[in-house]
Amino acid sequence: MGLFIVFEGIDGSGKTTQAKKLYHYLKEKNLKTVLTKEPGGTEEGKKIREILLNKDYSIPPIAELLLYEADRSIHINNFVKPKLNNNFIVISDRYIYSTLAYQHFGRGIERRIIDFLNSITTGDLIPDIVFLFDIPVEESLRRLNRFEKDRIEKESIDFHKKLREGFLKLAKENEEIFYLIDATKSIEDIFRDIKNILNIRFNI
Ligand code: ADP
Ligand code: TYD
């Protein structure tokens, strides 16, 4: 079995930047590695992602939840599991913890519904490690202000504060796999932290 590495955190916390750096670093070491994301890690999922992030669409919370879970079912079963079975290192930008943060702690959908859907879409696939990028909401929104915001990023500061707190709760519940990253540090300092942690835990 390969290694399943997940990056989580609020929008603008710097996940994508680090996931890409890690991907190139591992490829240079000649390790079999793929970089993927939710939503939109597959051809089919890209269509779902377009619906989810279109800022002109109005999507009720339950429909939103089911679309993220549909994307996940395709992504995990058609792409992630086959790669892990083929001994790849899979780096995923977001996974089940994003659904708990955004759709439960953010939108208020009952936790048991989301736990159930996460369980059946993934067959209870748990990552080997989760890097949680923690950053004050004001700072992450400042970073995003330079770009046009999508449907989710347009939510209020209060919504994003609920997400940050939710992610921190999830980290406490899953201490064996979560590593907290101080996402206010420089890109190079964060990358050094990530490399150190992976080296200590998995010898890579
Ligand atoms: P996310 O994937 O979590 O939304 P990104 O990696 O896309 O975050 O980063 C959002 C913005 O912040 C980008 O413009 C990126 O260049 C910038 N950024 C990323 N990491 C840092 C950092 N450590 N310090 C300052 N700016 C950063
Ligand atoms: P993403 O492309 O990671 O955005 P960013 O790079 O800005 O962090 O994710 C798209 C949006 O989807 C993001 O706002 C988080 C949200 N999301 C959920 O609300 N629930 C989920 O289950 C997932 C995977 C993402």
Side-chain angles (χ1 to χ4, degrees):
M1 274 295 270
L3 200 63
F4 188 22
I5 303 174
V6 168
F7 286 71
E8 292 278 16
I10 59 176
D11 306 276
S13 57
K15 298 177 305 304
T16 310
T17 304
Q18 296 293 334
K20 282 186 186 151
K21 279 180 83 70
L22 181 61
Y23 170 72
H24 292 299
Y25 171 76
L26 296 175
K27 285 286 275 188
E28 265 173 33
K29 292 181 108 186
N30 283 325
L31 293 166
K32 290 198 313 185
T33 309
V34 285
L35 175 61
T36 186
K37 67 176 177 189
E38 293 189 358
T42 60
E43 272 311 299
E44 297 83 348
K46 284 195 184 97
K47 304 269 183 204
I48 300 177
R49 182 183 170 95
E50 274 170 35
I51 300 174
L52 278 164
L53 299 185
N54 189 323
K55 55 183 167 21
D56 299 327
Y57 289 179
S58 160
I59 304 174
I62 292 289
E64 181 184 86
L65 167 66
L66 294 172
L67 287 166
Y68 281 114
E69 295 290 352
D71 169 76
R72 176 162 304 130
S73 171
I74 299 167
H75 182 230
I76 295 302
N77 290 290
N78 292 5
F79 184 73
V80 175
K81 283 187 178 175
K83 288 290 180 199
L84 290 173
N85 288 334
N86 206 352
N87 292 319
F88 272 78
I89 300 174
V90 177
I91 304 169
S92 185
D93 194 343
R94 298 191 181 279
Y95 188 44
I96 51 174
Y97 310 99
S98 279
T99 322
L100 288 167
Y102 284 75
Q103 278 66 50
H104 170 61
F105 291 106
R107 302 271 191 234
I109 297 175
E110 265 181 81
R111 171 97 190 233
R112 68 186 172 91
I113 296 175
I114 299 176
D115 282 335
F116 174 70
L117 290 171
N118 280 339
S119 170
I120 58 170
T121 51
T122 68
D124 294 316
L125 176 69
I126 302 299
D128 294 287
I129 191 163
V130 181
F131 291 108
L132 174 58
F133 283 60
D134 186 49
I135 188 168
V137 169
E138 291 77 6
E139 173 59 22
S140 66
L141 292 181
R142 226 187 333 268
R143 288 181 188 175
L144 290 175
N145 270 338
R146 283 175 272 154
F147 306 101
E148 201 194 347
K149 292 194 174 66
D150 65 35
R151 196 177 59 83
I152 310 274
E153 288 166 355
K154 283 171 106 63
E155 289 287 345
S156 66
I157 289 212
D158 278 356
F159 180 78
H160 284 94
K161 285 192 170 155
K162 284 192 221 164
L163 305 182
R164 184 185 182 200
E165 291 313 310
F167 271 125
L168 290 170
K169 280 188 200 151
L170 295 170
K172 282 218 180 79
E173 282 176 25
N174 299 281
E175 271 175 347
E176 353 49 84
I177 53 169
F178 266 72
Y179 276 84
L180 218 59
I181 297 291
D182 176 355
T184 61
K185 288 191 194 174
S186 73
I187 291 176
E188 286 313 320
D189 283 355
I190 294 172
F191 190 50
R192 196 170 317 120
D193 290 348
I194 289 173
K195 280 189 296 187
N196 280 337
I197 293 164
L198 289 176
N199 189 259
I200 292 165
R201 280 220 40 170
F202 306 110
N203 209 14
I204 54 172

PDB file of all heavy atoms in Angstrom, residues 9-18 93-94 133 139-140 143-144 146-147 153 183-188 190, ligand 1:
ATOM      1  N   GLY A   9      -7.604  22.857   5.454  1.00  0.00           N
ATOM      2  CA  GLY A   9      -7.548  24.214   6.008  1.00  0.00           C
ATOM      3  C   GLY A   9      -8.536  25.110   5.284  1.00  0.00           C
ATOM      4  O   GLY A   9      -9.108  24.716   4.265  1.00  0.00           O
ATOM      5  N   ILE A  10      -8.728  26.322   5.825  1.00  0.00           N
ATOM      6  CA  ILE A  10      -9.682  27.244   5.202  1.00  0.00           C
ATOM      7  C   ILE A  10      -9.115  27.773   3.880  1.00  0.00           C
ATOM      8  O   ILE A  10      -7.924  27.632   3.608  1.00  0.00           O
ATOM      9  CB  ILE A  10     -10.059  28.411   6.164  1.00  0.00           C
ATOM     10  CG1 ILE A  10      -8.828  29.214   6.576  1.00  0.00           C
ATOM     11  CG2 ILE A  10     -10.788  27.876   7.385  1.00  0.00           C
ATOM     12  CD1 ILE A  10      -9.167  30.429   7.453  1.00  0.00           C
ATOM     13  N   ASP A  11      -9.987  28.399   3.097  1.00  0.00           N
ATOM     14  CA  ASP A  11      -9.571  28.958   1.807  1.00  0.00           C
ATOM     15  C   ASP A  11      -8.481  30.007   2.038  1.00  0.00           C
ATOM     16  O   ASP A  11      -8.588  30.830   2.943  1.00  0.00           O
ATOM     17  CB  ASP A  11     -10.767  29.648   1.119  1.00  0.00           C
ATOM     18  CG  ASP A  11     -11.962  28.727   0.985  1.00  0.00           C
ATOM     19  OD1 ASP A  11     -12.008  27.963   0.036  1.00  0.00           O
ATOM     20  OD2 ASP A  11     -12.845  28.776   1.871  1.00  0.00           O
ATOM     21  N   GLY A  12      -7.450  29.969   1.214  1.00  0.00           N
ATOM     22  CA  GLY A  12      -6.386  30.964   1.329  1.00  0.00           C
ATOM     23  C   GLY A  12      -5.352  30.663   2.394  1.00  0.00           C
ATOM     24  O   GLY A  12      -4.507  31.501   2.710  1.00  0.00           O
ATOM     25  N   SER A  13      -5.386  29.456   2.953  1.00  0.00           N
ATOM     26  CA  SER A  13      -4.425  29.128   4.025  1.00  0.00           C
ATOM     27  C   SER A  13      -3.077  28.671   3.461  1.00  0.00           C
ATOM     28  O   SER A  13      -2.117  28.518   4.210  1.00  0.00           O
ATOM     29  CB  SER A  13      -5.008  28.060   4.963  1.00  0.00           C
ATOM     30  OG  SER A  13      -5.357  26.896   4.250  1.00  0.00           O
ATOM     31  N   GLY A  14      -3.007  28.425   2.156  1.00  0.00           N
ATOM     32  CA  GLY A  14      -1.722  28.068   1.538  1.00  0.00           C
ATOM     33  C   GLY A  14      -1.556  26.588   1.242  1.00  0.00           C
ATOM     34  O   GLY A  14      -0.472  26.142   0.869  1.00  0.00           O
ATOM     35  N   LYS A  15      -2.640  25.817   1.327  1.00  0.00           N
ATOM     36  CA  LYS A  15      -2.583  24.369   1.074  1.00  0.00           C
ATOM     37  C   LYS A  15      -2.075  24.024  -0.323  1.00  0.00           C
ATOM     38  O   LYS A  15      -1.205  23.183  -0.484  1.00  0.00           O
ATOM     39  CB  LYS A  15      -3.987  23.730   1.141  1.00  0.00           C
ATOM     40  CG  LYS A  15      -4.700  23.805   2.423  1.00  0.00           C
ATOM     41  CD  LYS A  15      -6.086  23.197   2.298  1.00  0.00           C
ATOM     42  CE  LYS A  15      -6.952  23.757   1.204  1.00  0.00           C
ATOM     43  NZ  LYS A  15      -7.183  25.182   1.198  1.00  0.00           N
ATOM     44  N   THR A  16      -2.693  24.669  -1.320  1.00  0.00           N
ATOM     45  CA  THR A  16      -2.377  24.297  -2.699  1.00  0.00           C
ATOM     46  C   THR A  16      -0.908  24.571  -3.017  1.00  0.00           C
ATOM     47  O   THR A  16      -0.243  23.760  -3.671  1.00  0.00           O
ATOM     48  CB  THR A  16      -3.300  25.076  -3.664  1.00  0.00           C
ATOM     49  OG1 THR A  16      -4.639  24.902  -3.203  1.00  0.00           O
ATOM     50  CG2 THR A  16      -3.199  24.562  -5.080  1.00  0.00           C
ATOM     51  N   THR A  17      -0.406  25.702  -2.529  1.00  0.00           N
ATOM     52  CA  THR A  17       1.002  26.060  -2.733  1.00  0.00           C
ATOM     53  C   THR A  17       1.911  24.952  -2.204  1.00  0.00           C
ATOM     54  O   THR A  17       2.846  24.500  -2.868  1.00  0.00           O
ATOM     55  CB  THR A  17       1.306  27.385  -1.980  1.00  0.00           C
ATOM     56  OG1 THR A  17       0.396  28.382  -2.443  1.00  0.00           O
ATOM     57  CG2 THR A  17       2.738  27.826  -2.183  1.00  0.00           C
ATOM     58  N   GLN A  18       1.625  24.468  -0.998  1.00  0.00           N
ATOM     59  CA  GLN A  18       2.487  23.459  -0.369  1.00  0.00           C
ATOM     60  C   GLN A  18       2.282  22.082  -0.976  1.00  0.00           C
ATOM     61  O   GLN A  18       3.235  21.304  -1.101  1.00  0.00           O
ATOM     62  CB  GLN A  18       2.225  23.409   1.151  1.00  0.00           C
ATOM     63  CG  GLN A  18       2.582  24.689   1.876  1.00  0.00           C
ATOM     64  CD  GLN A  18       4.075  24.986   1.880  1.00  0.00           C
ATOM     65  OE1 GLN A  18       4.900  24.081   1.777  1.00  0.00           O
ATOM     66  NE2 GLN A  18       4.433  26.245   2.004  1.00  0.00           N
ATOM     67  N   ASP A  93      -5.422  17.603  -1.994  1.00  0.00           N
ATOM     68  CA  ASP A  93      -5.784  18.934  -1.518  1.00  0.00           C
ATOM     69  C   ASP A  93      -7.259  18.831  -1.106  1.00  0.00           C
ATOM     70  O   ASP A  93      -8.127  18.851  -1.971  1.00  0.00           O
ATOM     71  CB  ASP A  93      -5.578  19.899  -2.708  1.00  0.00           C
ATOM     72  CG  ASP A  93      -5.577  21.350  -2.301  1.00  0.00           C
ATOM     73  OD1 ASP A  93      -6.034  21.673  -1.205  1.00  0.00           O
ATOM     74  OD2 ASP A  93      -5.117  22.175  -3.131  1.00  0.00           O
ATOM     75  N   ARG A  94      -7.515  18.614   0.176  1.00  0.00           N
ATOM     76  CA  ARG A  94      -8.832  18.435   0.822  1.00  0.00           C
ATOM     77  C   ARG A  94      -9.331  16.985   0.747  1.00  0.00           C
ATOM     78  O   ARG A  94      -9.070  16.262  -0.194  1.00  0.00           O
ATOM     79  CB  ARG A  94      -9.919  19.339   0.231  1.00  0.00           C
ATOM     80  CG  ARG A  94      -9.634  20.830   0.405  1.00  0.00           C
ATOM     81  CD  ARG A  94     -10.877  21.633   0.048  1.00  0.00           C
ATOM     82  NE  ARG A  94     -10.627  23.052   0.181  1.00  0.00           N
ATOM     83  CZ  ARG A  94     -10.655  23.721   1.319  1.00  0.00           C
ATOM     84  NH1 ARG A  94     -10.908  23.102   2.454  1.00  0.00           N
ATOM     85  NH2 ARG A  94     -10.435  25.024   1.348  1.00  0.00           N
ATOM     86  N   PHE A 133      -3.659  23.384   7.897  1.00  0.00           N
ATOM     87  CA  PHE A 133      -3.104  24.742   7.785  1.00  0.00           C
ATOM     88  C   PHE A 133      -3.961  25.694   8.605  1.00  0.00           C
ATOM     89  O   PHE A 133      -5.096  25.988   8.233  1.00  0.00           O
ATOM     90  CB  PHE A 133      -3.079  25.162   6.313  1.00  0.00           C
ATOM     91  CG  PHE A 133      -1.969  24.527   5.557  1.00  0.00           C
ATOM     92  CD1 PHE A 133      -1.893  23.145   5.453  1.00  0.00           C
ATOM     93  CD2 PHE A 133      -0.968  25.289   4.987  1.00  0.00           C
ATOM     94  CE1 PHE A 133      -0.846  22.539   4.780  1.00  0.00           C
ATOM     95  CE2 PHE A 133       0.086  24.700   4.304  1.00  0.00           C
ATOM     96  CZ  PHE A 133       0.147  23.319   4.203  1.00  0.00           C
ATOM     97  N   GLU A 139      -6.315  37.072   7.873  1.00  0.00           N
ATOM     98  CA  GLU A 139      -5.109  36.943   7.037  1.00  0.00           C
ATOM     99  C   GLU A 139      -5.408  36.126   5.766  1.00  0.00           C
ATOM    100  O   GLU A 139      -4.983  36.485   4.669  1.00  0.00           O
ATOM    101  CB  GLU A 139      -3.990  36.296   7.875  1.00  0.00           C
ATOM    102  CG  GLU A 139      -2.721  35.939   7.116  1.00  0.00           C
ATOM    103  CD  GLU A 139      -2.034  37.134   6.435  1.00  0.00           C
ATOM    104  OE1 GLU A 139      -2.268  38.271   6.858  1.00  0.00           O
ATOM    105  OE2 GLU A 139      -1.285  36.896   5.463  1.00  0.00           O
ATOM    106  N   SER A 140      -6.168  35.034   5.922  1.00  0.00           N
ATOM    107  CA  SER A 140      -6.456  34.213   4.737  1.00  0.00           C
ATOM    108  C   SER A 140      -7.326  34.994   3.747  1.00  0.00           C
ATOM    109  O   SER A 140      -7.127  34.920   2.537  1.00  0.00           O
ATOM    110  CB  SER A 140      -7.136  32.905   5.132  1.00  0.00           C
ATOM    111  OG  SER A 140      -8.403  33.167   5.660  1.00  0.00           O
ATOM    112  N   ARG A 143      -5.307  37.398   1.760  1.00  0.00           N
ATOM    113  CA  ARG A 143      -4.603  36.745   0.645  1.00  0.00           C
ATOM    114  C   ARG A 143      -5.541  36.536  -0.544  1.00  0.00           C
ATOM    115  O   ARG A 143      -5.142  36.683  -1.690  1.00  0.00           O
ATOM    116  CB  ARG A 143      -4.068  35.372   1.084  1.00  0.00           C
ATOM    117  CG  ARG A 143      -2.889  35.466   2.031  1.00  0.00           C
ATOM    118  CD  ARG A 143      -2.415  34.069   2.378  1.00  0.00           C
ATOM    119  NE  ARG A 143      -1.407  34.096   3.421  1.00  0.00           N
ATOM    120  CZ  ARG A 143      -0.902  33.003   3.973  1.00  0.00           C
ATOM    121  NH1 ARG A 143      -1.307  31.812   3.577  1.00  0.00           N
ATOM    122  NH2 ARG A 143       0.001  33.104   4.921  1.00  0.00           N
ATOM    123  N   LEU A 144      -6.809  36.194  -0.247  1.00  0.00           N
ATOM    124  CA  LEU A 144      -7.749  35.891  -1.334  1.00  0.00           C
ATOM    125  C   LEU A 144      -8.306  37.140  -1.986  1.00  0.00           C
ATOM    126  O   LEU A 144      -8.807  37.088  -3.113  1.00  0.00           O
ATOM    127  CB  LEU A 144      -8.916  35.044  -0.808  1.00  0.00           C
ATOM    128  CG  LEU A 144      -8.556  33.611  -0.418  1.00  0.00           C
ATOM    129  CD1 LEU A 144      -9.767  32.927   0.196  1.00  0.00           C
ATOM    130  CD2 LEU A 144      -8.086  32.828  -1.637  1.00  0.00           C
ATOM    131  N   ARG A 146      -6.995  39.330  -3.395  1.00  0.00           N
ATOM    132  CA  ARG A 146      -6.321  39.662  -4.656  1.00  0.00           C
ATOM    133  C   ARG A 146      -6.991  38.964  -5.846  1.00  0.00           C
ATOM    134  O   ARG A 146      -6.706  39.236  -6.976  1.00  0.00           O
ATOM    135  CB  ARG A 146      -4.846  39.253  -4.566  1.00  0.00           C
ATOM    136  CG  ARG A 146      -4.039  40.239  -3.749  1.00  0.00           C
ATOM    137  CD  ARG A 146      -2.629  39.754  -3.581  1.00  0.00           C
ATOM    138  NE  ARG A 146      -2.504  38.897  -2.410  1.00  0.00           N
ATOM    139  CZ  ARG A 146      -1.585  37.960  -2.285  1.00  0.00           C
ATOM    140  NH1 ARG A 146      -0.749  37.733  -3.249  1.00  0.00           N
ATOM    141  NH2 ARG A 146      -1.527  37.243  -1.177  1.00  0.00           N
ATOM    142  N   PHE A 147      -7.857  37.985  -5.564  1.00  0.00           N
ATOM    143  CA  PHE A 147      -8.487  37.228  -6.659  1.00  0.00           C
ATOM    144  C   PHE A 147     -10.001  37.395  -6.633  1.00  0.00           C
ATOM    145  O   PHE A 147     -10.560  37.804  -5.633  1.00  0.00           O
ATOM    146  CB  PHE A 147      -8.186  35.731  -6.505  1.00  0.00           C
ATOM    147  CG  PHE A 147      -6.731  35.435  -6.397  1.00  0.00           C
ATOM    148  CD1 PHE A 147      -6.169  35.183  -5.154  1.00  0.00           C
ATOM    149  CD2 PHE A 147      -5.923  35.423  -7.515  1.00  0.00           C
ATOM    150  CE1 PHE A 147      -4.818  34.910  -5.035  1.00  0.00           C
ATOM    151  CE2 PHE A 147      -4.578  35.156  -7.404  1.00  0.00           C
ATOM    152  CZ  PHE A 147      -4.018  34.892  -6.164  1.00  0.00           C
ATOM    153  N   GLU A 153     -16.048  31.060  -1.172  1.00  0.00           N
ATOM    154  CA  GLU A 153     -15.155  32.089  -0.620  1.00  0.00           C
ATOM    155  C   GLU A 153     -15.888  33.400  -0.351  1.00  0.00           C
ATOM    156  O   GLU A 153     -15.424  34.232   0.430  1.00  0.00           O
ATOM    157  CB  GLU A 153     -13.981  32.329  -1.584  1.00  0.00           C
ATOM    158  CG  GLU A 153     -12.985  31.171  -1.591  1.00  0.00           C
ATOM    159  CD  GLU A 153     -12.019  31.206  -2.756  1.00  0.00           C
ATOM    160  OE1 GLU A 153     -12.152  32.072  -3.639  1.00  0.00           O
ATOM    161  OE2 GLU A 153     -11.127  30.355  -2.791  1.00  0.00           O
ATOM    162  N   ALA A 183       0.219  28.409   9.438  1.00  0.00           N
ATOM    163  CA  ALA A 183       0.177  28.843   8.034  1.00  0.00           C
ATOM    164  C   ALA A 183       0.514  30.319   7.863  1.00  0.00           C
ATOM    165  O   ALA A 183       0.505  30.825   6.740  1.00  0.00           O
ATOM    166  CB  ALA A 183      -1.191  28.524   7.434  1.00  0.00           C
ATOM    167  N   THR A 184       0.836  31.015   8.964  1.00  0.00           N
ATOM    168  CA  THR A 184       1.259  32.419   8.818  1.00  0.00           C
ATOM    169  C   THR A 184       2.758  32.508   8.513  1.00  0.00           C
ATOM    170  O   THR A 184       3.260  33.567   8.150  1.00  0.00           O
ATOM    171  CB  THR A 184       0.984  33.231  10.107  1.00  0.00           C
ATOM    172  OG1 THR A 184       1.739  32.653  11.189  1.00  0.00           O
ATOM    173  CG2 THR A 184      -0.490  33.223  10.468  1.00  0.00           C
ATOM    174  N   LYS A 185       3.467  31.387   8.657  1.00  0.00           N
ATOM    175  CA  LYS A 185       4.910  31.395   8.378  1.00  0.00           C
ATOM    176  C   LYS A 185       5.178  31.554   6.878  1.00  0.00           C
ATOM    177  O   LYS A 185       4.255  31.440   6.058  1.00  0.00           O
ATOM    178  CB  LYS A 185       5.521  30.063   8.821  1.00  0.00           C
ATOM    179  CG  LYS A 185       5.617  29.860  10.320  1.00  0.00           C
ATOM    180  CD  LYS A 185       6.493  28.626  10.537  1.00  0.00           C
ATOM    181  CE  LYS A 185       6.463  28.063  11.903  1.00  0.00           C
ATOM    182  NZ  LYS A 185       7.239  26.799  11.967  1.00  0.00           N
ATOM    183  N   SER A 186       6.446  31.709   6.520  1.00  0.00           N
ATOM    184  CA  SER A 186       6.784  31.880   5.091  1.00  0.00           C
ATOM    185  C   SER A 186       6.616  30.546   4.352  1.00  0.00           C
ATOM    186  O   SER A 186       6.639  29.470   4.972  1.00  0.00           O
ATOM    187  CB  SER A 186       8.223  32.353   4.938  1.00  0.00           C
ATOM    188  OG  SER A 186       9.089  31.274   5.224  1.00  0.00           O
ATOM    189  N   ILE A 187       6.473  30.629   3.045  1.00  0.00           N
ATOM    190  CA  ILE A 187       6.304  29.425   2.226  1.00  0.00           C
ATOM    191  C   ILE A 187       7.460  28.454   2.460  1.00  0.00           C
ATOM    192  O   ILE A 187       7.246  27.243   2.638  1.00  0.00           O
ATOM    193  CB  ILE A 187       6.197  29.822   0.735  1.00  0.00           C
ATOM    194  CG1 ILE A 187       4.862  30.559   0.495  1.00  0.00           C
ATOM    195  CG2 ILE A 187       6.301  28.596  -0.182  1.00  0.00           C
ATOM    196  CD1 ILE A 187       4.654  31.093  -0.913  1.00  0.00           C
ATOM    197  N   GLU A 188       8.681  28.968   2.518  1.00  0.00           N
ATOM    198  CA  GLU A 188       9.847  28.084   2.692  1.00  0.00           C
ATOM    199  C   GLU A 188       9.882  27.456   4.084  1.00  0.00           C
ATOM    200  O   GLU A 188      10.217  26.279   4.230  1.00  0.00           O
ATOM    201  CB  GLU A 188      11.158  28.834   2.393  1.00  0.00           C
ATOM    202  CG  GLU A 188      11.385  29.090   0.908  1.00  0.00           C
ATOM    203  CD  GLU A 188      11.147  27.854   0.010  1.00  0.00           C
ATOM    204  OE1 GLU A 188      11.539  26.729   0.398  1.00  0.00           O
ATOM    205  OE2 GLU A 188      10.535  28.011  -1.066  1.00  0.00           O
ATOM    206  N   ILE A 190       7.315  26.785   6.048  1.00  0.00           N
ATOM    207  CA  ILE A 190       6.260  25.763   6.129  1.00  0.00           C
ATOM    208  C   ILE A 190       6.713  24.494   5.400  1.00  0.00           C
ATOM    209  O   ILE A 190       6.538  23.380   5.907  1.00  0.00           O
ATOM    210  CB  ILE A 190       4.939  26.286   5.515  1.00  0.00           C
ATOM    211  CG1 ILE A 190       4.387  27.431   6.362  1.00  0.00           C
ATOM    212  CG2 ILE A 190       3.909  25.167   5.395  1.00  0.00           C
ATOM    213  CD1 ILE A 190       3.191  28.138   5.741  1.00  0.00           C
TER     214      ILE A 190
HETATM  215  P1  ADP B   1      -5.376  27.520  -0.537  1.00  0.00           P
HETATM  216  O1  ADP B   1      -5.101  26.388  -1.495  1.00  0.00           O
HETATM  217  O2  ADP B   1      -5.325  27.069   0.897  1.00  0.00           O
HETATM  218  O3  ADP B   1      -6.642  28.275  -0.847  1.00  0.00           O
HETATM  219  P2  ADP B   1      -3.160  28.875  -1.855  1.00  0.00           P
HETATM  220  O4  ADP B   1      -1.982  27.972  -1.766  1.00  0.00           O
HETATM  221  O5  ADP B   1      -3.904  28.934  -3.152  1.00  0.00           O
HETATM  222  O6  ADP B   1      -4.181  28.570  -0.654  1.00  0.00           O
HETATM  223  O7  ADP B   1      -2.672  30.348  -1.440  1.00  0.00           O
HETATM  224  C1  ADP B   1      -3.535  31.487  -1.460  1.00  0.00           C
HETATM  225  C2  ADP B   1      -2.681  32.736  -1.791  1.00  0.00           C
HETATM  226  O8  ADP B   1      -1.743  32.980  -0.722  1.00  0.00           O
HETATM  227  C3  ADP B   1      -1.826  32.587  -3.054  1.00  0.00           C
HETATM  228  O9  ADP B   1      -1.760  33.847  -3.688  1.00  0.00           O
HETATM  229  C4  ADP B   1      -0.451  32.173  -2.535  1.00  0.00           C
HETATM  230  O10 ADP B   1       0.583  32.572  -3.398  1.00  0.00           O
HETATM  231  C5  ADP B   1      -0.393  32.906  -1.218  1.00  0.00           C
HETATM  232  N1  ADP B   1       0.394  32.159  -0.183  1.00  0.00           N
HETATM  233  C6  ADP B   1       0.503  30.823  -0.054  1.00  0.00           C
HETATM  234  N2  ADP B   1       1.288  30.491   1.006  1.00  0.00           N
HETATM  235  C7  ADP B   1       1.664  31.671   1.568  1.00  0.00           C
HETATM  236  C8  ADP B   1       2.494  32.005   2.704  1.00  0.00           C
HETATM  237  N3  ADP B   1       3.053  31.061   3.473  1.00  0.00           N
HETATM  238  N4  ADP B   1       2.672  33.306   2.983  1.00  0.00           N
HETATM  239  C9  ADP B   1       2.100  34.274   2.204  1.00  0.00           C
HETATM  240  N5  ADP B   1       1.321  34.036   1.119  1.00  0.00           N
HETATM  241  C10 ADP B   1       1.104  32.747   0.796  1.00  0.00           C
END
